[in-house]
């Protein structure tokens, strides 16, 4: 995202630098030149991720003398990334900037990204067939196909696990991941002042009554939704950063919403079951508190029968899903002679 | 319902009968709560479970042997060597004192039970108490019917069973009772405004503080409720009486518990209660002033007080925030912080994050632990809002907070369980109320009258039927009891009158009630469905109690095609240590096995499950992650004689030390930076096969676990990791194997004496020691295990 604007500039600069160097010395650039060049490029990008294309791949990777005095982490992206890819790209930038913050000077690890539409041939050089893909090209890697591929499992933990990968490959600590806070300190101060000024008015309103706070239905709705989010395992998804669904590895067009295993779940799965948990209770409450007040007996009968069908279906569904997911089979304990 | 229409005589009798029946049901609930927890004793044996209970058992033994004063001053030199641990000042004494006094009472009644038996059955007994406390609490909120239902549900809720089966002698067993009972007394005080209950409430809170660190939940939840009441304009003098004595007396009493002490006034967990204490006084003062001043004067006084008050409170709050912010953790303990910020623990405290019960749960956990209650809770929530009283708003608040906490840590599902039971009890009771009322009011109508009867007629007939039915009901029960009752004839006359009354006076209310019914046959089906739902709950709970939660984890069993296998390796190993080592020898193991080693083997350990000293644990973790020589040096510096590792590779026991090993590396690396996690991972993956890193294959844990493992099947196939191990043939230079249990689950090694390391003499003593140890080792080369 942040690369959109400076990309043109960068390309210009790249061409300019390349031209300058080729003018000044016709021979291949020395290792130090390459490092200096990369460092210049890096300083141009706010997150420290250098945008590569086919020519820069050729310059810094394929034609550079071995061993290269640096290692590169290459992110393979597309010009129109989907949500997941965009998120990974920003996490990648985060790792890069955290790395930059931790190693103020003399770091020979560079983060760069490639776009499929621009540099198709480089993709085939690396042997990248599917996205997302992140590669580490060490100083010793002769063929780009041999570069270390980041495992699919390392994407799931996002920045933290990417950092682990980087640490494992480069044996340099990335340092703490510095996430930019959502609101700046100035905004915090503004909010605090606004709150302080409005506090007396708010308190007055509350004391007078008849605010949102006194609306029982609001509290009821909040309570039920907290319950819904709780049983849906939202905290699990937040803490472990679980996606809503994953793509099937064998068939990328198929989406997987439910996974087996007691200790894990996908986001959509949790919400689906949380919904089933909640809907049953809501129906029971509806029957006991709303339906009884209706005057028309036929309506009552119809609603009640429909409600019972839904409840029965929901409970059965959850029982079935639980057995499928955990493999537990609940059984009764009758006396042996009854069997 | 119809009881309102009756005269006093039958209604009191009916109430009396209901009371007796209620007591009887409660007794049965107690029996149910107790007996459903005995599966562990029946299926295994009467034995203390798991890890922490062994420590509690050891403390109780000490208490019963040496008395309370020695217990209070007990400095234990058998753990955390060489530091030791002040037990009296660092344990929550509630459980120990409870079991100790139960033992003392039984003994003074000449019932000679062993301490262990009392400890084993403490949890089931207190589950019955907790069920009764739940009845009381729910009764205060929504009446007896809901109370009984909630008590039944709590008696067998799997989440609570998992913590309170016979033998699981842990704080939670007592604490859940204390928690619910404290809540009950708070609600009771709130409903009655009685200082008597307020005092009892403070005492009950004291018991809770004695029992469990989770008391902070109470001291934050009750202030939250008080604040909510004030904000929504529900302040009353009853609220003041319920809250102010609790804070004053409760805080004073809490600081008497050594493990809490000045924490009761100095840590952030308690600040909410003090803040609300100030607020409630301000509010009470305002209400008082409002009472004695005229409205105009009050307005003037109000503006004056508000301006001054705001200025003062701003200053106080600013100082307060500055004070709190100056401490690095903002005055909160790590565990509390990880509740408020769920991602905190995984970032900063690996020792908390490493425990599996601190992981956030997924949806199957809810179904497993509260089962169908998960479906009923929303209905209970809505029932609590219609109408919203002080009591029901408290229960709702309890539920909301506990749902959130249970979402952060699976362990806190235990706190959710009572709330879920109360809510479901209310929901079920209301649903049954509606459906049975529908049947009761319409069934006679259909049986007696043709359907073309007029509306008015049907109303009266309902009332008549209702009244007569209840009356006859009462008569049959009371005939033997009361003799001074008027004769049948008189009574009939009375009944006639009564009927008139019914027709005249409450016809209005009956009319209303007539509308509050559902169609008969649909109600019958609904009742049937609810009963099926309840039946499924019972089946699930019994199954969970029998199959899932009763394993003592000290004795393991497995069913194979050739029958039942029992793995009693842990006790075998501890018994070996007890009988074959010197009484003052030090045994090193990962901290999980510390409590068991001290309690069962009576040997000094380096670290145990009370993880109070991270550095010490990190030292052991570092030793386990280091190569043999470095590990030997670390252990030798700690005077360790024996090293104990748990290994499940032969029988497929998954929670062994190799699976826990990454945590040892992480915790060790957190203090000693030369231990780096990536060194043990191949491409970020933890593996022990041929692809494993050399650091992994050379670390002490790997060597002690897999030493001679290849001799078992010739291939060294690890059944937990489902792979062949990476390095099969190696010798130990600084350790020697002294004991391996029947199924290889526990392996004990002895540190070789230091003289072996003297250069030049290296060869000779090594060979001699080898020959001496190989006497044991090679004796049964063909056998799986030399000790068989």
């Amino acid at each position: 995202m942040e690369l959109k604007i400076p990309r043109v500039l960068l390309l210009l600069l790249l061409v300019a630098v390349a031209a300058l160097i080729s003018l000044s010395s016709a021979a291949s650039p020395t290792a130090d030149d390459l490092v200096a060049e990369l460092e210049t490029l890096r300083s141009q990008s706010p997150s420290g991720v250098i945008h590569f294309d086919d020519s820069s791949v050729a310059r810094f990777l394929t034609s550079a003398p071995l061993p290269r005095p640096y290692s590169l982490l290459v992110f393979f992206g597309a010009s129109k990334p989907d949500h997941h890819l965009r998120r990974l790209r920003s996490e990648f930038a985060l790792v890069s900037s955290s790395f930059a913050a931790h190693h103020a000077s003399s770091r020979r690890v560079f983060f760069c990204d490639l776009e499929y539409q621009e540099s198709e041939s480089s993709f085939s050089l690396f042997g990248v067939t599917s996205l997302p893909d992140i590669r580490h090209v060490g100083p010793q890697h002769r063929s780009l196909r041999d570069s270390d591929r980041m495992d699919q499992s390392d994407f799931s933990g996002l920045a933290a696990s990417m950092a682990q990968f980087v640490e494992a490959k480069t044996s340099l600590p990335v340092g703490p991941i510095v996430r930019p806070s959502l609101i700046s300190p100035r905004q915090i101060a503004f909010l605090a002042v606004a709150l302080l000024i409005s506090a007396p008015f708010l308190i007055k309103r509350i004391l007078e009554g008849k605010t949102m706070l006194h609306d029982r239905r609001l509290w009821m709705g909040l309570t039920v939704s907290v319950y819904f989010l709780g049983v849906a395992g939202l905290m699990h998804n937040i803490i472990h950063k679980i996606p809503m669904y994953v793509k099937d590895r064998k068939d990328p067009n198929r989406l997987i919403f439910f996974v087996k295993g007691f200790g894990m779940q996908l986001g959509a799965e949790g919400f689906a079951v949380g919904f089933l948990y909640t809907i049953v209770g809501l129906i029971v409450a509806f029957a006991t508190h709303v339906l009884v007040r209706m005057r028309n007996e036929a309506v009552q009968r119809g609603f009640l029968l429909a409600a019972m069908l839904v409840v029965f279906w929901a409970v059965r569904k959850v029982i079935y899903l639980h057995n499928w997911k955990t493999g537990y089979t609940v059984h009764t304990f009758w006396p042996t002679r009854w069997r | 319902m119809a009881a309102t229409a009756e005269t006093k005589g039958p209604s009191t009798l009916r109430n009396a009968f209901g009371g007796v029946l209620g007591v009887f049901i409660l007794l049965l609930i107690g029996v149910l709560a107790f007996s459903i927890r005995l599966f562990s004793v029946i299926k295994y044996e009467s034995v203390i479970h798991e890890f922490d209970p062994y420590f509690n058992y050891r403390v109780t033994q000490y208490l019963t042997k040496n008395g309370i004063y020695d217990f209070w001053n007990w400095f234990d030199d058998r753990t955390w060597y060489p530091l030791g641990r002040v037990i009296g000042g660092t344990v929550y004494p509630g459980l120990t004192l409870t079991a100790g006094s139960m033992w003392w009472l039984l003994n003074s009644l000449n019932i000679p039970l062993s301490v262990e038996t009392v400890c084993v059955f403490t949890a089931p007994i207190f589950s019955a108490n907790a069920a009764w406390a739940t009845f009381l609490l729910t009764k205060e909120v929504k009446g007896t019917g809901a109370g009984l239902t909630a008590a039944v549900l709590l008696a067998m809720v799997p989440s609570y069973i998992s913590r309170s089966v016979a033998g699981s002698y842990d704080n939670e067993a007592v604490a859940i009772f204390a928690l619910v009972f404290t809540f009950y007394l708070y609600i009771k005080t709130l409903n009655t405004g009685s200082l008597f209950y307020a005092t009892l409430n403070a005492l009950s809170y004291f018991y809770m503080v004695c029992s469990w660190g989770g008391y902070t939940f109470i001291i934050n939840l009750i202030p939250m409720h008080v604040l909510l009441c004030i904000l929504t304009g529900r302040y009353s003098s009853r609220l003041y009486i319920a809250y102010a004595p609790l804070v004053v007396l409760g805080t004073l009493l809490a600081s008497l518990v050594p493990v809490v002490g000045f924490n009761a006034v100095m840590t952030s967990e308690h600040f909410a209660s003090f803040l609300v204490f100030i607020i409630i006084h301000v509010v009470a003062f305002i209400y008082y002033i409002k009472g004695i001043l005229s409205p105009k004067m009050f307005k003037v006084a109000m503006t004056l007080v508000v301006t001054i008050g705001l200025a003062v409170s701003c200053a106080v709050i600013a100082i307060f925030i500055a004070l709190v912010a100056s401490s690095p953790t903002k005055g909160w303990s790590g565990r509390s912080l990880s509740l408020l910020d769920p991602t905190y623990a995984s970032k900063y405290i690996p020792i908390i994050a490493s425990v599996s019960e601190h992981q956030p749960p997924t949806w199957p956990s809810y179904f497993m632990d509260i089962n169908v209650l998960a479906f009923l809770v929303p209905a209970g929530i809505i029932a609590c809002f219609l109408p919203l009283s002080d009591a029901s708003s408290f229960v709702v608040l309890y539920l909301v907070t506990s749902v959130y906490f249970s979402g952060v840590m699976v362990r806190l599902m235990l706190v959710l369980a009572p709330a879920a039971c109360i809510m479901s009890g209310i929901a079920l009771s209301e649903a049954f109320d509606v459906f049975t009322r529908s049947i009761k009011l319409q069934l006679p109508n259909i049986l007696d009258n043709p359907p073309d009867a007029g509306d008015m007629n049907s109303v009266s007939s309902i009332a008549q039927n209702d009244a007569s039915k209840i009356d006859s009901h009462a008569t049959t029960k009371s005939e033997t009891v009361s003799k001074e009752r008027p004769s049948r004839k008189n009574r009939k006359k009375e009944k006639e009158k009564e009927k008139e009354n019914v027709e005249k006076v409450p016809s209005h209310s009956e009319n209303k009630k007539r509308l509050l019914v559902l169609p008969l046959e649909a109600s019958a089906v609904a009742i049937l469905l609810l009963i099926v739902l309840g039946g499924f709950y019972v089946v699930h709970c019994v199954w969970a109690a029998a199959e899932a939660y009763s394993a003592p984890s000290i004795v393991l069993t497995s069913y194979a095609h050739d029958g039942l296998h029992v793995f009693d390796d842990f006790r075998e190993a501890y018994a070996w240590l007890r009988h074959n080592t010197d009484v003052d020898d030090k045994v090193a193991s990962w901290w999980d096995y510390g409590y068991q080693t001290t309690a069962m083997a009576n040997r000094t350990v380096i670290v145990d499950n009370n993880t109070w000293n991270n550095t010490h644990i990190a030292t052991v973790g570092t030793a386990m992650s280091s190569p043999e020589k470095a590990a030997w040096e670390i252990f030798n510096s700690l005077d360790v004689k024996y090293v104990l590792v748990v290994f499940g590779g032969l029988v497929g026991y998954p929670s062994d030390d190799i699976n826990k090993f990454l945590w040892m590396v992480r915790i060790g690396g957190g203090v000693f930076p030369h231990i780096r996690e990536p060194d043990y991972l191949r491409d970020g993956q933890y593996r022990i096969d041929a692809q494993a890193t050399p650091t992994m294959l050379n670390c002490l844990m790997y060597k002690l676990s897999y030493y001679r493992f290849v001799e078992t099947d010739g291939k060294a196939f690890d059944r937990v990791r489902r792979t062949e191990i990476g390095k099969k043939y190696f010798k130990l230079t600084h350790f020697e194997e002294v004991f391996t249990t029947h199924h290889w689950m526990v392996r004990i090694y002895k540190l070789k004496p230091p003289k072996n390391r003297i250069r030049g003499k290296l060869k000779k003593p090594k060979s001699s020691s080898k020959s001496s140890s190989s006497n044991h080792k090679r004796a049964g080369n063909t056998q799986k295990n030399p000790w068989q």
Side-chain angles (χ1 to χ4, degrees):
Chain A
M1 299 266 268
E2 71 264 34
L3 284 170
K4 283 262 158 67
I5 305 152
R7 189 188 300 150
V8 186
L9 277 174
L10 271 178
L11 280 173
L12 277 176
L13 194 102
L14 204 77
V15 171
V17 169
L20 262 175
I21 291 169
S22 61
L23 275 177
S24 61
S25 61
S28 64
T30 61
D32 289 340
D33 288 345
L34 286 176
V35 172
E37 206 174 316
L38 279 170
E39 276 175 351
T40 330
L41 285 174
R42 176 167 57 195
S43 59
Q44 313 260 323
S45 151
S47 64
V49 179
I50 308 164
H51 186 71
F52 266 31
D53 54 16
D54 286 342
S55 61
S56 40
V57 167
R59 181 172 177 79
F60 295 111
L61 288 172
T62 43
S63 64
L66 283 178
R68 296 182 205 95
Y70 46 81
S71 53
L72 284 174
L73 276 138
V74 189
F75 181 89
F76 295 87
S79 61
K80 281 178 195 153
D82 65 347
H83 174 71
H84 184 55
L85 202 60
R86 209 178 302 143
R87 177 128 182 257
L88 283 177
R89 173 65 182 75
S90 69
E91 294 289 311
F92 186 72
L94 204 60
V95 175
S96 162
S97 55
S98 307
F99 190 86
H102 198 65
H103 304 268
S105 61
S106 77
R107 54 211 156 97
R108 294 285 171 92
V109 179
F110 295 95
F111 294 75
C112 46
D113 71 342
L114 276 171
E115 249 174 42
Y116 182 70
Q117 279 74 6
E118 277 178 15
S119 19
E120 223 167 294
S121 55
S122 304
F123 271 60
S124 56
L125 268 180
F126 276 94
V128 173
T129 49
S130 69
L131 295 179
D133 201 327
I134 298 175
R135 295 294 182 89
H136 168 255
V137 189
Q140 302 292 346
H141 283 126
R142 186 172 298 276
S143 161
L144 294 180
R145 274 175 194 275
D146 298 343
S147 53
D148 306 309
R149 185 161 188 269
M150 192 186 283
D151 261 348
Q152 197 76 29
S153 61
D154 285 329
F155 294 141
S156 59
L158 298 174
S161 56
M162 279 187 203
Q164 271 178 11
F165 174 80
V166 175
E167 278 174 26
K169 291 300 163 203
T170 62
S171 55
L172 284 173
V174 172
I177 304 286
V178 197
R179 286 184 187 276
S181 67
L182 283 175
I183 39 177
S184 67
R186 191 173 292 176
Q187 280 166 318
I188 291 176
F190 175 75
L191 282 178
V193 170
L195 199 76
L196 215 65
I197 292 170
S198 58
F201 299 100
L202 285 178
I203 290 171
K204 197 168 173 236
R205 281 288 296 278
I206 287 168
L207 288 179
E208 279 170 358
K210 293 197 189 74
T211 54
M212 293 265 282
L213 282 178
H214 297 82
D215 190 352
R216 196 167 294 167
R217 273 165 300 176
L218 176 82
W219 290 106
M220 193 154 83
L222 278 179
T223 313
V224 173
S225 48
V226 166
Y227 179 77
F228 164 68
L229 295 177
V231 290
L234 179 72
M235 297 316 292
H236 173 267
N237 299 347
I238 290 178
I239 292 171
H240 292 312
K241 302 202 178 66
I242 307 285
M244 288 302 273
Y245 54 83
V246 289
K247 280 188 181 146
D248 197 339
R249 272 194 201 176
K250 292 165 200 155
D251 176 12
N253 292 325
R254 252 189 81 216
L255 301 178
I256 298 179
F257 290 99
F258 280 78
V259 287
K260 280 196 180 190
F262 196 87
M264 52 207 240
Q265 68 169 29
L266 292 174
E269 176 188 357
F271 285 120
V273 180
F275 173 73
L276 291 181
Y277 281 146
T278 317
I279 193 76
V280 174
L282 291 181
I283 286 175
V284 172
F286 173 75
T288 44
H289 297 289
V290 181
L291 211 54
V292 281
R293 283 169 214 283
M294 284 188 184
R295 281 163 184 274
N296 189 337
E297 199 173 315
V299 173
Q300 281 185 332
R301 187 170 288 125
F303 267 113
L304 196 56
L305 288 176
M308 283 190 294
L309 272 180
V310 173
V311 166
F312 189 73
W313 170 79
V315 175
R316 274 204 49 172
K317 195 78 197 161
V318 172
I319 293 172
Y320 163 75
L321 281 173
H322 183 253
N323 290 350
W324 172 82
K325 192 176 172 72
T326 59
Y328 291 139
T329 45
V330 178
H331 56 84
T332 48
F333 290 86
W334 300 113
T336 36
R337 83 178 88 106
W338 286 15
R339 277 183 217 155
Chain B
M1 289 131 257
T4 48
E6 291 175 59
T7 49
K8 262 189 180 170
S11 89
T12 45
L13 236 146
R14 190 171 167 239
N15 283 344
F17 175 70
V20 171
L21 194 66
V23 170
F24 186 62
I25 292 173
L26 278 177
L27 265 180
L28 286 183
I29 289 173
V31 172
L32 171 70
F34 183 83
S35 52
I36 200 171
R37 287 166 169 81
L38 298 185
F39 276 108
S40 59
V41 174
I42 294 164
K43 288 185 73 176
Y44 296 88
E45 58 187 294
S46 174
V47 65
I48 309 266
H49 288 193
E50 297 197 316
F51 306 108
D52 288 24
Y54 270 97
F55 169 75
N56 296 326
Y57 168 52
R58 184 161 161 258
V59 176
T60 316
Q61 265 183 326
Y62 190 88
L63 170 73
T64 50
K65 208 182 277 174
N66 299 311
I68 181 139
Y69 289 106
D70 276 356
F71 160 65
W72 222 239
N73 297 322
W74 185 18
F75 178 82
D76 185 10
D77 57 357
R78 300 202 81 89
T79 64
W80 294 97
Y81 182 83
L83 307 168
R85 176 183 170 195
V86 185
I87 301 276
T90 56
V91 291
Y92 286 99
L95 176 78
T96 318
L97 290 178
T98 308
S101 36
M102 265 162 47
W103 177 84
W104 174 82
L105 187 76
L106 287 168
N107 267 268
S108 50
L109 293 173
N110 289 329
I111 305 174
L113 288 180
S114 68
V115 178
E116 191 182 0
T117 315
V118 173
C119 292
V120 165
F121 291 102
T122 301
I125 289 171
F126 270 81
S127 315
N129 292 349
W132 293 329
T134 309
F135 163 75
L136 291 172
L137 172 57
T138 319
K139 190 182 154 212
E140 285 302 314
V141 180
K142 282 278 168 181
T144 317
L148 286 174
T149 325
V152 173
L153 296 177
L154 186 99
M156 48 185 176
V157 64
S159 167
Y160 186 27
I161 288 182
S162 73
R163 294 296 176 142
S164 62
V165 291
S168 116
Y169 178 56
D170 211 347
N171 290 338
E172 287 95 329
V174 185
I176 292 303
F177 158 71
L179 181 85
V180 178
F181 197 62
T182 311
F183 286 158
Y184 157 67
L185 285 170
Y186 170 69
I187 294 295
K188 184 82 184 170
T189 323
L190 197 56
N191 282 347
T192 57
S194 141
L195 257 178
F196 171 68
Y197 284 114
T199 318
L200 280 189
N201 190 16
L203 288 175
S204 167
Y205 172 67
F206 174 57
Y207 185 63
M208 178 71 192
V209 178
C210 282
S211 305
W212 197 32
Y215 75 90
T216 43
F217 181 58
I218 296 184
I219 205 60
N220 283 301
L221 185 67
I222 290 181
M224 267 169 76
H225 178 245
V226 171
L227 198 64
L228 196 77
C229 280
I230 292 173
L231 278 183
T232 49
R234 307 179 74 99
Y235 172 80
S236 63
S237 52
R238 287 175 288 110
L239 188 70
Y240 183 85
I241 289 173
Y243 186 65
L246 174 70
V247 171
V248 177
L249 285 178
T251 307
L252 281 177
L253 287 170
S255 50
L256 292 182
V257 183
V259 63
V260 178
F262 278 102
N263 283 349
V265 282
M266 310 246 308
T267 57
S268 292
E269 279 98 340
H270 304 80
F271 283 161
S273 64
F274 301 134
L275 194 66
V276 174
F277 187 68
I278 295 169
I279 290 174
I280 200 173
H281 275 93
V282 171
V283 172
F285 184 69
I286 290 173
Y287 272 82
Y288 173 71
I289 297 288
K290 206 175 183 177
I292 56 170
L293 286 183
S294 66
K296 206 172 180 186
M297 281 293 286
F298 176 70
K299 214 162 194 179
V300 175
M302 194 65 179
T303 38
L304 199 75
V305 168
V306 161
T307 42
I308 297 171
L310 266 183
V312 171
S313 62
C314 278
V316 169
I317 287 171
I319 294 169
F320 184 74
I321 288 174
L323 273 178
V324 170
S326 63
S327 93
T329 60
K330 311 276 178 280
W332 293 81
S333 70
R335 271 162 222 248
S336 316
L337 263 186
S338 60
L339 277 181
L340 296 178
D341 172 14
T343 51
Y344 179 83
S346 57
K347 273 187 246 161
Y348 302 111
I349 334 173
I351 209 154
I352 290 184
S354 76
V355 184
S356 65
E357 62 183 17
H358 291 159
Q359 298 301 319
T362 50
W363 70 262
S365 316
Y366 284 95
F367 195 72
M368 185 71 193
D369 277 354
I370 57 174
N371 200 242
V372 304
L373 307 188
F375 294 114
L376 295 170
V377 168
I381 294 173
I382 289 169
C384 280
F385 275 96
L386 308 164
L388 190 68
S389 64
D390 289 347
S392 68
S393 65
F394 178 75
V395 184
V396 169
L397 195 66
Y398 173 28
L399 179 94
V400 170
T401 44
S402 62
V403 160
Y404 169 71
F405 288 149
S406 75
V408 178
M409 274 190 200
V410 70
R411 161 186 204 201
L412 293 175
M413 200 76 98
L414 185 66
V415 180
L416 170 68
C421 287
I422 292 166
M423 285 299 178
S424 314
I426 291 171
L428 264 187
S429 147
E430 299 237 322
F432 271 122
D433 196 24
V434 167
F435 294 133
T436 48
R437 186 209 299 148
S438 310
I439 293 181
K440 187 168 123 191
L441 296 187
Q442 288 175 56
L443 195 59
N445 191 11
I446 285 174
L447 290 181
D448 297 353
N449 289 8
D452 57 338
D455 191 35
M456 194 53 217
N457 198 353
S458 81
V459 169
S460 69
S461 82
I462 286 164
Q464 180 185 349
N465 272 312
D466 216 18
S468 64
K469 202 172 133 204
I470 285 154
D471 204 63
S472 67
H473 190 73
T475 354
T476 47
K477 300 291 169 199
S478 60
E479 254 167 0
T480 48
V481 185
S482 59
K483 284 178 184 168
E484 319 73 355
R485 282 181 62 89
S487 72
R488 214 156 242 257
K489 236 179 193 173
N490 279 349
R491 248 192 308 139
K492 229 172 198 172
K493 264 185 195 166
E494 255 178 34
K495 209 168 79 183
E496 220 85 304
K497 263 186 212 162
E498 206 177 273
K499 206 181 1 175
E500 275 171 27
N501 276 346
V502 168
E503 267 167 355
K504 270 185 206 158
V505 185
S507 69
H508 183 65
S509 75
E510 270 311 316
N511 216 345
K512 247 189 182 169
K513 197 133 274 176
R514 171 69 186 83
L515 298 174
L516 293 186
V517 293
L518 290 165
L520 176 74
E521 63 289 338
S523 311
V525 178
I527 287 185
L528 207 71
L529 278 184
L530 281 182
I531 290 173
V532 168
L533 195 70
F536 179 75
Y537 177 68
V538 174
V539 169
H540 177 92
C541 293
V542 173
W543 171 82
E547 302 282 332
Y549 292 138
S550 284
S553 90
I554 191 92
V555 188
L556 306 157
T557 56
S558 83
Y559 289 95
H561 51 89
D562 52 341
L564 178 75
H565 289 270
V566 178
F567 303 100
D568 204 359
D569 287 38
F570 288 107
R571 290 195 290 185
E572 186 187 350
Y574 295 131
W576 185 89
L577 276 176
R578 191 179 195 109
H579 292 294
N580 295 284
T581 59
D582 192 64
V583 106
D584 286 325
D585 283 346
K586 279 79 185 167
V587 181
S589 63
W590 189 233
W591 57 266
D592 295 21
Y593 313 103
Y595 279 163
Q596 290 180 347
T597 312
T598 41
M600 281 196 273
N602 192 24
R603 293 294 172 267
T604 309
V605 295
I606 308 298
V607 291
D608 67 20
N609 309 45
N610 175 270
T611 50
W612 67 274
N613 189 326
N614 195 25
T615 315
H616 222 49
I617 292 179
T619 310
V620 174
T622 307
M624 293 295 191
S625 333
S626 303
E628 230 180 301
K629 184 161 184 278
W632 187 92
E633 276 160 8
I634 294 173
F635 280 142
N636 194 47
S637 71
L638 288 168
D639 290 351
V640 169
K641 264 250 179 91
Y642 296 92
V643 181
L644 177 152
V645 294
V646 173
F647 171 63
L650 185 70
V651 289
Y653 170 64
S655 46
D656 64 349
D657 279 347
I658 291 285
N659 271 5
K660 291 170 186 169
F661 181 61
L662 268 194
W663 287 109
M664 304 184 199
V665 173
R666 270 172 216 158
I667 293 167
V671 178
F672 303 100
H674 70 276
I675 303 290
R676 297 174 61 250
E677 192 179 339
D679 293 346
Y680 297 84
L681 303 174
R682 173 73 68 192
D683 296 345
Q685 273 189 327
Y686 179 56
R687 51 204 309 171
I688 44 98
D689 55 6
Q691 296 288 310
T693 59
T695 325
M696 179 69 214
L697 293 178
N698 280 317
C699 72
L700 184 70
M701 182 48 74
Y702 180 89
K703 286 193 163 177
L704 296 192
S705 290
Y706 291 117
Y707 180 59
R708 294 196 309 108
F709 183 49
V710 69
E711 293 167 23
T712 54
D713 59 353
K715 283 194 300 184
F717 183 82
D718 185 321
R719 294 199 192 167
V720 176
R721 268 64 59 174
R722 306 196 160 276
T723 172
E724 277 186 34
I725 62 172
K727 195 168 157 189
K728 298 173 185 175
Y729 303 95
F730 55 86
K731 283 177 181 157
L732 296 176
T733 53
H734 293 75
F735 294 82
E736 60 178 321
E737 183 187 12
V738 288
F739 185 68
T740 295
T741 56
H742 187 95
H743 300 98
W744 284 53
M745 281 170 63
V746 185
R747 312 194 68 183
I748 301 170
Y749 293 84
K750 192 176 182 179
L751 271 74
K752 282 185 182 170
K755 67 181 173 199
N756 286 354
R757 294 185 306 135
I758 297 167
R759 194 177 298 164
K761 288 182 182 175
L762 197 69
K763 279 270 152 72
K764 219 172 146 191
K766 201 178 171 189
S767 64
S768 74
S769 79
K770 208 170 104 188
S771 68
S772 70
S773 64
S774 63
N775 281 342
H776 307 281
K777 277 186 273 170
R778 310 286 175 223
N781 229 352
T782 49
Q783 263 183 321
K784 274 190 176 180
N785 178 356
W787 310 99
Q788 273 171 341

